[in-house]
Amino acid sequence: MKIRINWKYCALIVIDVVIVVYLVFAMTSWNKPDETPRVCTKVEINIEDENENGFLKTAEVKTLLERKSLYPLKQRLEDINTREIENILLKTAFVKTAQCYVTQEGHVNLTLTQRTPIVRVKADNGEDYYIDDNGGVMPNSQYTSDMIIVTGQLTKQYACKYISILAATIMADDLWHNQVEQINVLKDKTIEIVPRVGDHIINIGMLPNNRFPERRKELVTEFVLNQLHRIELFYKYGLSEAGWNKYSYISIEFANQVICTNRDSKSQAKPIAVVQPAPQPTAESAENNSQEQAKKDDPQKKQEETKKEDKKDSQTKKEDKSKNDNKPKKDDNPKKDSTPKKDNTSTTKKEDKSKQTKQAEKPKQADKPKQTDKSKSSSSDKSTKKKS
């Protein structure tokens, strides 16, 4: 019996098997990783705000990574440790944030942000450093900028805790950011400000003390804002009239007054009250002023008011007299003996007066006979005339 073979069916089976084998081989070969090592071909370093701060440059970052043997150029991508590169950069004094990652093209990208200094400290003990906006210390560098300089007797601890808050508050205000040139710290921690405009020094007093950082920041910020507002009012209503160069020293250490020292004399001037803008007149005040002016213009009303005031004064005087009369009088010299003592001095005075009167009467009596003699002589003369 002859077996008949279906060659078409066999051909289809062979073709299917070949296709399956090909697909399996293709999939396994494509999924295998490339055994050739991939190398970093490019390193991109991006420093944000480089033009503003200028502490860091790409060349300095490159040299720093080369010293630590971490510069990724021409290194295998498998051997590049991005986390270690970030930690090394964050430990530097001028880096605020650092981010490192590898792209599919084999490039390594570095993105950095710098710390922003707000003041430069030149203490009397010889220390020279910067303080950033977070209260951290930054070492001195070749970087030069038009920022506030702090001098005097202060430590790094005091500068980080208090001067950083003071400087940040000043820098936040456009007026005082451009006006304040120098801050001086005295031995008792009194703060002096040297402005750019005006040849004088401003004493704002001592900053409030507190050991808690958040509460300390609130207290110092509120104190500085209050003192700066007082200086601004004094500038508007005081120095604008007196002159910007009249005073050499201005103290607002005490509340509600400004103490100024004249430039010509070494003595201090009298305290000047803090000047505030005059309140605008309201409708009620305008009516009261109009009534007062009307009273001043009418003479009859003036007379009536003066009469009323005189009556009130007389009544008050009578009441005071009645009160004084009703009060019991105290004898300053208490009576020791019930019998009154005779006053010898009074009797002697009476005798002296009687003697003087007697002596005065004697010459008068002596003069009387003389007058009689004259009268007799005059009468005799008259009789002789008649006879003749």
Side-chain angles (χ1 to χ4, degrees):
M1 182 178 175
K2 292 182 179 180
I3 298 171
R4 296 181 67 179
I5 299 172
N6 192 350
W7 296 103
K8 291 182 179 180
Y9 183 73
C10 291
L12 291 173
I13 292 172
V14 171
I15 291 170
D16 291 338
V17 170
V18 172
I19 291 171
V20 169
V21 171
Y22 176 75
L23 291 174
V24 171
F25 178 76
M27 290 177 68
T28 55
S29 63
W30 290 346
N31 287 332
K32 284 184 179 181
D34 190 7
E35 295 181 356
T36 57
R38 297 182 65 191
V39 179
C40 175
T41 57
K42 187 177 181 182
V43 179
E44 293 183 359
I45 300 174
N46 298 321
I47 301 175
E48 297 180 0
D49 57 25
E50 182 177 1
N51 296 326
E52 295 179 3
N53 296 334
F55 283 101
L56 283 175
K57 295 180 180 179
T58 56
E60 294 177 354
V61 176
K62 182 179 178 181
T63 54
L64 176 63
L65 294 176
E66 286 177 351
R67 289 175 186 173
K68 302 291 183 180
S69 300
L70 294 175
Y71 192 65
L73 186 63
K74 295 182 180 180
Q75 290 186 6
R76 297 176 60 181
L77 298 179
E78 298 176 354
D79 298 335
I80 297 172
N81 191 350
T82 57
R83 182 62 61 82
E84 188 176 0
I85 292 171
E86 290 176 358
N87 292 332
I88 290 296
L89 292 174
L90 288 173
K91 289 180 181 178
T92 58
F94 304 109
V95 177
K96 187 176 183 179
T97 61
Q99 187 178 5
C100 180
Y101 58 93
V102 181
T103 63
Q104 294 180 356
E105 292 82 5
H107 299 171
V108 176
N109 289 341
L110 285 171
T111 304
L112 307 175
T113 57
Q114 300 183 74
R115 296 168 64 181
T116 56
I118 53 177
V119 290
R120 182 174 182 177
V121 179
K122 291 184 176 182
D124 292 345
N125 56 9
E127 294 179 345
D128 190 358
Y129 52 90
Y130 295 97
I131 295 180
D132 63 355
D133 52 354
N134 293 324
V137 177
M138 301 171 61
N140 186 18
S141 67
Q142 297 179 355
Y143 172 74
T144 57
S145 177
D146 190 11
M147 64 175 59
I148 300 172
I149 297 174
V150 181
T151 58
Q153 301 180 8
L154 72 163
T155 60
K156 287 184 178 180
Q157 184 179 5
Y158 185 80
C160 295
K161 289 183 178 180
Y162 294 94
I163 299 300
S164 60
I165 303 172
L166 170 63
T169 307
I170 292 173
M171 296 287 286
D173 194 338
D174 294 334
L175 171 64
W176 295 107
H177 172 64
N178 297 319
Q179 174 67 357
V180 177
E181 182 178 9
Q182 181 181 346
I183 298 172
N184 187 40
V185 181
L186 300 180
K187 188 176 182 180
D188 59 348
K189 298 298 182 290
T190 301
I191 305 299
E192 294 179 341
I193 292 175
V194 180
R196 295 181 187 274
V197 180
D199 191 8
H200 55 263
I201 298 172
I202 303 170
N203 181 0
I204 66 171
M206 293 187 293
L207 300 177
N209 238 341
N210 199 284
R211 60 177 181 174
F212 299 104
E214 294 180 358
R215 182 59 179 164
R216 179 171 61 241
K217 186 176 181 181
E218 292 177 1
L219 291 174
V220 174
T221 304
E222 184 179 359
F223 174 79
V224 174
L225 289 174
N226 184 26
Q227 298 297 78
L228 294 179
H229 180 65
R230 291 178 62 193
I231 299 170
E232 187 175 355
L233 290 176
F234 184 70
Y235 276 180
K236 287 181 180 179
Y237 303 101
L239 291 184
S240 60
E241 297 180 0
W244 285 86
N245 296 323
K246 183 177 181 180
Y247 304 116
S248 62
Y249 198 84
I250 300 170
S251 176
I252 59 170
E253 182 179 2
F254 304 103
N256 299 325
Q257 66 181 8
V258 179
I259 301 173
C260 303
T261 303
N262 291 324
R263 186 172 301 281
D264 298 334
S265 62
K266 294 182 180 179
S267 60
Q268 291 184 352
K270 293 181 179 180
I272 302 172
V274 177
V275 183
Q276 294 184 355
Q280 295 181 356
T282 58
E284 295 179 357
S285 62
E287 291 178 359
N288 294 328
N289 292 329
S290 62
Q291 292 176 0
E292 290 178 358
Q293 287 179 357
K295 289 180 181 179
K296 290 179 180 179
D297 295 335
D298 295 336
Q300 293 180 357
K301 290 183 179 180
K302 284 184 180 180
Q303 291 178 358
E304 291 177 357
E305 289 178 355
T306 53
K307 287 180 181 179
K308 288 180 181 179
E309 290 178 356
D310 293 336
K311 287 181 180 179
K312 288 181 181 179
D313 294 335
S314 62
Q315 289 177 359
T316 53
K317 288 180 181 179
K318 288 179 181 178
E319 290 176 356
D320 293 335
K321 287 181 180 179
S322 62
K323 288 180 181 178
N324 293 325
D325 294 335
N326 292 326
K327 287 182 180 179
K329 295 182 179 180
K330 293 182 180 180
D331 293 333
D332 295 332
N333 298 321
K335 296 180 180 179
K336 292 182 181 179
D337 298 330
S338 60
T339 58
K341 294 181 180 180
K342 293 181 179 180
D343 193 359
N344 296 325
T345 57
S346 61
T347 54
T348 54
K349 288 181 179 179
K350 289 180 180 179
E351 291 176 355
D352 294 336
K353 288 181 179 179
S354 61
K355 289 179 180 179
Q356 289 176 359
T357 52
K358 288 179 181 181
Q359 290 176 359
E361 289 175 354
K362 287 180 180 180
K364 289 181 180 179
Q365 292 176 359
D367 293 335
K368 285 181 180 179
K370 290 181 180 179
Q371 291 177 358
T372 53
D373 295 336
K374 287 181 179 179
S375 61
K376 288 179 181 181
S377 61
S378 61
S379 59
S380 61
D381 292 333
K382 288 178 180 179
S383 61
T384 52
K385 286 181 180 180
K386 286 179 180 181
K387 290 178 180 183
S388 60

